[in-house]
Amino acid sequence: MSMGFLIEETAPVVWRGLMVMSAIEKLLRQVDWGPLDYLVVDTPPGTGDVQLSISQNIPISGAVIVSTPQDIALVDAHKGAEMFRKVHVPVLGLIQNMSVFQCPKCKHRTHIFGADGARRLAQTLDLDILGDIPLHLNIRETSDTGQPIVFSQPESDEAKAYLRIAAEVVRRLPPPLK
């Protein structure tokens, strides 16, 4: 389920406060999710109404902070981790997204967004790195077609990076209620 299904494709979501919470309530309580072990909520970066509303109104087992390694993104990631700590949501760790680009022809590795920024932030916050996601054309292409890489190319190195991270997140969560 996505907010994208609730509004026109080109319409911006310019909601605050009560409108945000109303939409979150609808997504969480009025969608027939069926039986779930886990529900992952992907929020925009930052410490705004969405994150605060969710953390104050829904029981959360843990938060995962995702950031590219560049300094400007890490500022928001740091604030996000501190916000979750302040509202007593356990921060399970950090994921370093778009960590490295490997040229498909010559195999040269380039750290387009900088190297190890999330690792340094994790040390500062006394958190673990849950994994790295490379900057790879297949990830973008498969996502754009609605066939994420873990389904369309499950044996690829890129899919395995996601699966390792998912396993690490699950390992850090309390067992699901039966």
Side-chain angles (χ1 to χ4, degrees):
M1 176 48 85
S2 170
M3 284 294 299
F5 297 145
L6 303 177
I7 59 172
E8 291 184 35
E9 186 175 323
T10 59
V13 179
V14 284
W15 298 349
R16 304 274 287 131
L18 293 175
M19 291 177 73
V20 171
M21 197 52 218
S22 176
I24 291 167
E25 284 290 323
K26 283 181 179 21
L27 289 171
L28 293 173
R29 304 201 195 289
Q30 295 178 14
V31 171
D32 182 4
W33 294 105
L36 297 174
D37 289 332
Y38 304 99
L39 177 64
V40 176
V41 179
D42 182 12
T43 65
T47 56
D49 288 339
V50 172
Q51 296 85 348
L52 194 55
S53 294
I54 289 173
S55 63
Q56 290 178 333
N57 294 291
I58 297 152
I60 301 175
S61 299
V64 173
I65 307 298
V66 180
S67 181
T68 60
Q70 70 191 94
D71 292 342
I72 194 71
L74 293 166
V75 170
D76 280 343
H78 192 153
K79 290 176 184 178
E82 293 295 353
M83 186 221 59
F84 282 116
R85 284 178 168 169
K86 189 171 193 160
V87 296
H88 309 292
V89 171
V91 179
L92 305 177
L94 275 75
I95 296 171
Q96 186 162 248
N97 194 19
M98 297 187 246
S99 58
V100 67
F101 172 77
Q102 183 173 322
C103 176
K105 293 185 174 152
C106 72
K107 304 300 181 199
H108 176 75
R109 294 168 58 91
T110 303
H111 296 278
I112 293 171
F113 296 105
D116 295 325
R119 292 186 187 288
R120 288 189 305 277
L121 178 59
Q123 288 175 337
T124 299
L125 295 171
D126 194 28
L127 293 170
D128 294 327
I129 286 288
L130 302 174
D132 291 80
I133 301 294
L135 177 60
H136 199 282
L137 182 62
N138 287 348
I139 294 172
R140 198 268 309 155
E141 288 177 340
T142 58
S143 296
D144 282 353
T145 63
Q147 297 293 318
I149 198 137
V150 294
F151 294 112
S152 59
Q153 299 174 23
E155 296 304 316
S156 68
D157 289 342
E158 297 80 34
K160 289 176 183 176
Y162 281 102
L163 294 171
R164 280 191 302 272
I165 289 168
E168 188 59 31
V169 169
V170 167
R171 189 180 74 72
R172 293 163 185 265
L173 288 170
L177 301 172
K178 295 294 175 179

